[in-house]
Amino acid sequence: MASSSSTEQQMTKTSVHYFGQSSEFEDAFSIEIIESLKEDYGLFVWPCSIVLAEYVWQQRLRFSGASVVELGAGTSLPGLVAARVGSVVTLTDDSNRVEVLDNMRRVCDRNELNCKVEGLSWGVWDEPIFSLHANIVLGADVLYDNSAFDNLFATVAFLLRNSPGSVFVTTYHNRSGHHLIEFLMVKWGLKCVKLLDGFSFMPPFKASGLSGNIQLAEIVLKTDGGEVYE
């Protein structure tokens, strides 16, 4: 048993992510993330997660006191930042990915943050989803698998309808699935009300370590009004 535990420890690393500079912000802080060195995309901090977490930090007054759900949270950096700035946070990932869910609980404990962790599979209407009432739904790099897009947008649409006036904030690599995304947003009655270049608000020292064409979008129900960004 000791050998197995030692092997597991050797297969993980801890990365530290800083938000604000203590010389400039009294509320500056850092978040520690336990990452896996094994080939599991749910246990690695991807660039989209870093960009979304930075956006949450810069929008911290908006997130303070908000109810937040992160979809496909994985290592959960954006959700943990939201919790650190005062959100009530539920972190979710695929119900079948027990190792990922266990790691989410570990990083919450490591950072002394009281987040709820739930198994939530997109497009599956199990009991947990009906109890979620979020002002803000987060999703970092959840638009990576075209075959999962429909179930993702079905889940997003349900959560937004479950909490009138709520918003889905997502970061994604601008890949070839752009037209499919537009089609499914129409199908599920959604619209984009803000679209940003992910690097436009990143501090240079963070942006220099990232690559790719990353965009940030804020998405709402069509019935909630607001200007649409094509």
Side-chain angles (χ1 to χ4, degrees):
M1 293 296 291
S3 176
S4 175
S5 175
S6 176
T7 300
E8 289 180 2
Q9 290 179 358
Q10 292 174 5
M11 295 296 289
T12 63
K13 69 173 184 176
T14 299
S15 58
V16 183
H17 303 264
Y18 296 91
F19 299 89
Q21 297 182 10
S22 57
S23 60
E24 298 180 21
F25 301 98
E26 292 183 0
D27 51 356
F29 60 87
S30 63
I31 296 289
E32 294 186 7
I33 298 293
I34 303 170
E35 300 183 67
S36 174
L37 302 181
K38 297 185 293 184
E39 294 183 2
D40 189 329
Y41 57 82
L43 291 174
F44 184 80
V45 180
W46 295 100
C48 284
S49 184
I50 294 171
V51 172
L52 184 55
E54 179 65 25
Y55 186 72
V56 173
W57 156 251
Q58 293 187 17
Q59 298 272 317
R60 55 195 177 278
L61 294 180
R62 174 186 182 189
F63 278 81
S64 179
S67 175
V68 172
V69 170
E70 184 174 1
L71 299 177
T75 51
S76 310
L77 183 59
L80 293 172
V81 173
R84 188 66 177 78
V85 300
S87 299
V88 178
V89 177
T90 300
L91 304 171
T92 73
D93 211 302
D94 192 323
S95 303
N96 298 314
R97 304 179 69 195
V98 177
E99 183 179 1
V100 173
L101 295 171
D102 286 344
N103 192 67
M104 290 158 65
R105 296 184 181 95
R106 283 194 292 272
V107 295
C108 288
D109 291 342
R110 172 72 67 90
N111 292 282
E112 299 181 342
L113 293 170
N114 185 24
C115 301
K116 188 175 182 180
V117 175
E118 290 275 9
L120 179 65
S121 300
W122 303 337
V124 178
W125 311 113
D126 287 337
E127 184 177 348
I129 194 171
F130 294 99
S131 64
L132 297 176
H133 298 276
N135 306 121
I136 304 172
V137 180
L138 298 175
D141 209 10
V142 290
L143 295 166
Y144 61 87
D145 179 1
N146 288 11
S147 66
F149 283 6
D150 198 31
N151 284 334
L152 169 64
F153 280 112
T155 300
V156 168
F158 177 86
L159 291 172
L160 297 185
R161 290 189 176 93
N162 213 27
S163 300
S166 55
V167 60
F168 175 48
V169 185
T170 183
T171 47
Y172 61 96
H173 286 279
N174 192 10
R175 303 183 178 102
S176 57
H178 186 70
H179 293 297
L180 177 58
I181 293 171
E182 291 179 341
F183 169 79
L184 290 172
M185 285 178 58
V186 172
K187 174 183 176 180
W188 291 104
L190 304 170
K191 65 182 179 184
C192 180
V193 293
K194 179 184 285 187
L195 187 63
L196 299 175
D197 178 341
F199 291 94
S200 65
F201 54 84
M202 292 293 291
F205 75 94
K206 287 189 178 183
S208 64
L210 304 177
S211 61
N213 181 6
I214 299 175
Q215 292 186 311
L216 180 141
E218 294 200 11
I219 295 170
V220 301
L221 292 174
K222 279 187 175 181
T223 54
D224 282 346
E227 183 179 355
V228 180
Y229 286 71
E230 300 295 347

